[in-house]
Amino acid sequence: MKHFLILFLLTLSLHSQSEYPQDYFREPLDIPLVLAGTFGELRSTHFHGGLDIKTKQTQGLKVYAAAEGYISRIKISHFGYGKAIYITHPNGYTTVYGHLQKFSKRLEAYIKQCQYDKESYEVEVFPHSEELLVVPDEIIAFSGNTGSSGGPHLHFEIRDNEERPMNPLLFGMQVKDTKAPYVNSVFAYPKDKNAIINGKNERVQLRLIPLKTGDYEVEKISAYGNIGFGVSSNDKQDLAPNKNGVSNIQTFFNGNKSLEIDFKRFSFDETKHINRLVDYEYFKRKKSRVQKLFIEKNNPLSLYKDAYDNGYVKIEDSTSSVYKVRIRDYHENETWVVIPVNGKFKTLELDTIVDTSHKTLVSSDQPTTLNSGNITVNFYENTLYDDSYIDYKVSSDTIFLGEDKIPMQKNFYINYDLSNFKAEDQDKLYIARFYGSYKKPYYVYTTRKGSILTARSKSLGTFALSMDTEPPTIKPINFQNKKWISKYRYLKVKIEDELTGISKYRATVNGKWILMEYDYKTKTLIHDFNDNIVKDTNNELKIIVTDNVGNSSTFEATFFRK
């Protein structure tokens, strides 16, 4: 331990002299790095914290420790990173490996012992600094598709000593990329009610003109007052068709730098504010993320640099100006967008004035409570970024909170008083949110205290009180009751719950708990007989599955092995 601490302090001192060591970390796979996702890429609820490395659409590739160190954390969860390993290195950085199929032999034995001790598939452990040491080039795991992965790949991160993720490409890892970013769309935004863009006081999409050079021009616009711009852009590497995120955006107004957004490092505390960077309303309608090139109030993101007047530009009457956007990927491939602006004051068109008389104002800096009968909706202080008008209505047990087009800083809370419901019914009630044209109900995580049923959400929309009386279903996949399965390595069972989803499950053989891995994407429970827990010839299997309102199903079967 003393030797490791001395090495840690020495290399930490060297780290302060050289910000990004170039030869310290090896690549985690022994195949060329081809990316399905880049660092800082815009996701639905967060910035992507690492690199998504393609694994040739397969699982089981060897995953190597990027450098020596010790395993400081192992987490297994149904969602998120699935099976993940965290290695702390002597130079103060931590590397993260996610969506793993399985661990190396010694780590697999270690974590399975933890799972059997806790009688849980989902575990999180923090080994001490001398418990699980790793050496350079050690195989620590095999790539997979566990957790919230949309396909086989390795999620790889490098975090600093404050647990902030950083772009792993800063440390010398190589990805072939000679392609410049491309632009999907450009918009102009008024800062306040006095700003005018092409005669309107609202967001205006600008006509984008591609040039032979790969850059873009925008058809000249007419504007007056303080305005901002937004751009939707992506990047592609040489060996993959994926629409990945860009690394850096700079803006210039009449030759002077106005704003820079640099995706080099961020903290997990701020990543939830991604919807303050993007045009949330446009994304919800068009599924395209437009990055706002200006900083609105209540925006705590640390990605911004050199922000003059928060990125807004002032357009005066009878002037000509030029606004430019420079978009770069990590390898300095760049694309420019040029926007000529003609300053011209114009009276607003009447159809741009929005009628809010039928809506409810929800404040951003103080609590707002909406009441109707047995329903209460609470927006606490700083739930919203801006004061906003919400189309709030109630019909029976259904709450209409307008469209999901207003970004939230925090959750708001929906409460139903169930005092008028029978006691036996209260346990089966939950709060659902309705999506899509078919208005299918989806379970929202719901808790009950006394007669008050509560759900929280960061998305507006339609919510309703619903009831689930149907228990989960349990079906064997590869075996039958009272049959021999000696030749099988795995025991497989499918579990489903249509309305509220699976909350928990428990499996035993001859009264003894067995580990069954749950893959929610395939709705499958799998036990590996190599765990050597099932040793008897005659075996009584019992599986209990419970949904999110407490409905339970029990499956029992007998199988034989020798």
Side-chain angles (χ1 to χ4, degrees):
M1 178 65 177
K2 183 177 179 181
H3 170 74
F4 188 87
L5 287 175
I6 293 174
L7 183 59
F8 179 90
L9 294 173
L10 176 61
T11 52
L12 188 59
S13 175
L14 292 174
H15 164 56
S16 64
Q17 300 172 31
S18 177
E19 189 173 7
Y20 309 115
Q22 297 299 294
D23 299 316
Y24 191 86
F25 295 112
R26 63 153 290 164
E27 295 172 356
L29 300 174
D30 55 9
I31 59 174
L33 295 190
V34 179
L35 302 184
T38 51
F39 181 83
E41 193 168 277
L42 307 180
R43 300 291 173 87
S44 294
T45 59
H46 62 282
F47 300 105
H48 190 228
L51 302 179
D52 281 348
I53 305 172
K54 287 177 173 285
T55 56
K56 300 181 177 180
Q57 300 181 339
T58 64
Q59 301 187 49
L61 298 186
K62 296 175 181 177
V63 177
Y64 296 86
E68 69 173 323
Y70 71 94
I71 294 176
S72 53
R73 182 183 180 193
I74 302 176
K75 184 176 182 180
I76 298 180
S77 56
H78 297 139
F79 305 100
Y81 292 169
K83 296 183 180 182
I85 290 176
Y86 301 70
I87 300 179
T88 296
H89 303 279
N91 62 355
Y93 292 105
T94 296
T95 51
V96 183
Y97 315 75
H99 306 307
L100 302 169
Q101 180 192 53
K102 60 181 179 180
F103 306 119
S104 66
K105 187 175 181 180
R106 71 175 179 120
L107 298 183
E108 192 77 10
Y110 176 91
I111 200 64
K112 281 199 173 183
Q113 185 61 55
C114 296
Q115 291 172 311
Y116 275 98
D117 288 345
K118 297 181 179 182
E119 295 192 352
S120 174
Y121 169 67
E122 292 191 296
V123 293
E124 184 174 17
V125 295
F126 299 88
H128 61 72
S129 59
E130 289 191 333
E131 191 171 2
L132 295 174
L133 296 174
V134 295
V135 298
D137 299 326
E138 180 177 341
I139 298 170
I140 56 170
F142 299 87
S143 67
N145 187 32
T146 56
S148 301
S149 170
H153 72 275
L154 174 68
H155 176 86
F156 177 70
E157 294 180 18
I158 297 180
R159 301 181 183 180
D160 66 13
N161 56 8
E162 295 180 35
E163 281 292 301
R164 295 176 299 182
M166 306 179 67
N167 190 342
L169 297 182
L170 292 167
F171 298 84
M173 297 186 180
Q174 297 298 313
V175 174
K176 188 175 183 181
D177 185 2
T178 60
K179 297 181 179 180
Y182 59 95
V183 178
N184 304 302
S185 56
V186 177
F187 293 83
Y189 296 80
K191 181 182 180 182
D192 50 47
K193 64 181 181 179
N194 298 314
I196 305 167
I197 304 165
N198 289 345
K200 298 182 179 181
N201 181 240
E202 63 186 20
R203 176 190 61 216
V204 176
Q205 184 167 2
L206 308 180
R207 181 170 173 263
L208 195 62
I209 306 170
L211 303 176
K212 292 181 179 180
T213 60
D215 296 322
Y216 299 83
E217 284 183 351
V218 168
E219 189 173 58
K220 181 179 287 189
I221 66 170
S222 172
Y224 177 81
N226 294 310
I227 67 174
F229 293 89
V231 60
S232 170
S233 59
N234 292 100
D235 186 45
K236 288 184 180 181
Q237 283 78 48
D238 288 11
L239 303 177
N242 300 73
K243 298 178 180 179
N244 293 330
V246 302
S247 181
N248 183 278
I249 301 177
Q250 297 175 343
T251 65
F252 304 85
F253 184 60
N254 291 335
N256 297 312
K257 191 174 183 181
S258 179
L259 178 73
E260 181 174 356
I261 306 176
D262 190 24
F263 296 95
K264 184 179 294 181
R265 170 171 51 196
F266 56 82
S267 71
F268 285 109
D269 288 339
E270 64 181 303
T271 189
K272 63 185 178 182
H273 295 288
I274 184 173
N275 289 326
R276 200 51 169 166
L277 169 69
V278 303
D279 185 333
Y280 185 80
E281 186 272 339
Y282 188 79
F283 169 67
K284 286 298 178 177
R285 284 196 303 110
K286 299 293 187 178
K287 303 305 177 187
S288 174
R289 295 183 176 90
V290 177
Q291 299 177 73
K292 296 177 181 177
L293 306 178
F294 50 91
I295 307 172
E296 298 167 292
K297 73 171 188 176
N298 294 325
N299 185 335
L301 295 172
S302 64
L303 305 170
Y304 302 105
K305 297 169 59 177
D306 303 329
Y308 177 77
D309 199 17
N310 285 328
Y312 289 100
V313 297
K314 185 176 183 179
I315 308 299
E316 298 180 343
D317 193 23
S318 303
T319 61
S320 294
S321 305
V322 177
Y323 183 90
K324 294 184 178 181
V325 185
R326 182 190 190 192
I327 305 167
R328 291 184 291 176
D329 61 25
Y330 176 79
H331 295 87
E332 301 293 332
N333 302 304
E334 64 180 39
T335 298
W336 287 83
V337 180
V338 178
I339 307 172
V341 185
N342 181 35
K344 185 178 180 180
F345 177 79
K346 185 178 180 181
T347 304
L348 284 176
E349 298 176 5
L350 292 178
D351 62 0
T352 65
I353 300 174
V354 179
D355 179 17
T356 58
S357 59
H358 62 290
K359 296 184 178 182
T360 302
L361 178 63
V362 177
S363 175
S364 63
D365 58 3
Q366 60 186 10
T368 302
T369 300
L370 309 178
N371 289 295
S372 181
N374 67 325
I375 297 170
T376 303
V377 183
N378 292 319
F379 294 88
Y380 296 110
E381 183 179 358
N382 298 321
T383 297
L384 279 68
Y385 290 101
D386 301 298
D387 294 351
S388 301
Y389 285 93
I390 292 177
D391 192 7
Y392 170 66
K393 293 179 292 185
V394 173
S395 176
S396 185
D397 288 323
T398 301
I399 308 171
F400 302 94
L401 290 171
E403 297 180 54
D404 179 17
K405 60 182 182 180
I406 300 173
M408 303 281 166
Q409 291 197 66
K410 301 187 298 187
N411 290 301
F412 62 91
Y413 293 82
I414 298 171
N415 307 283
Y416 284 84
D417 187 341
L418 306 181
S419 299
N420 293 329
F421 287 84
K422 296 178 181 179
E424 59 267 27
D425 291 337
Q426 291 185 13
D427 288 339
K428 305 304 179 185
L429 292 169
Y430 68 99
I431 299 173
R433 182 166 180 241
F434 291 79
Y435 292 93
S437 58
Y438 295 102
K439 300 298 182 183
K440 182 179 178 180
Y442 288 86
Y443 172 79
V444 181
Y445 178 71
T446 305
T447 59
R448 185 161 67 90
K449 188 173 183 180
S451 63
I452 304 300
L453 195 67
T454 301
R456 61 186 184 184
S457 175
K458 287 185 74 174
S459 302
L460 298 176
T462 301
F463 299 82
L465 196 61
S466 300
M467 179 175 287
D468 180 6
T469 60
E470 295 296 322
T473 59
I474 309 172
K475 297 179 181 178
I477 295 176
N478 66 339
F479 68 97
Q480 294 178 330
N481 187 34
K482 297 183 179 179
K483 297 292 184 181
W484 286 85
I485 54 173
S486 301
K487 296 181 179 180
Y488 293 168
R489 175 175 171 178
Y490 299 102
L491 184 73
K492 299 181 180 181
V493 175
K494 187 171 186 177
I495 60 173
E496 293 184 85
D497 188 81
E498 185 177 353
L499 290 177
T500 57
I502 304 299
S503 171
K504 58 185 178 180
Y505 64 91
R506 179 179 176 83
T508 59
V509 170
N510 299 331
K512 183 180 295 185
W513 185 86
I514 62 168
L515 173 64
M516 297 199 81
E517 298 193 5
Y518 176 46
D519 183 351
Y520 77 95
K521 287 173 285 193
T522 61
K523 303 175 183 179
T524 305
L525 292 177
I526 302 177
H527 172 70
D528 187 349
F529 285 121
N530 283 358
D531 287 358
N532 204 29
I533 300 298
V534 178
K535 298 179 180 180
D536 297 334
T537 301
N538 185 76
N539 296 281
E540 301 296 331
L541 172 67
K542 184 176 183 179
I543 302 175
I544 302 173
V545 180
T546 307
D547 67 17
N548 278 294
V549 297
N551 297 308
S552 290
S553 294
T554 300
F555 172 84
E556 295 182 281
T558 300
F559 64 86
F560 306 101
R561 282 179 64 84
K562 63 177 180 179

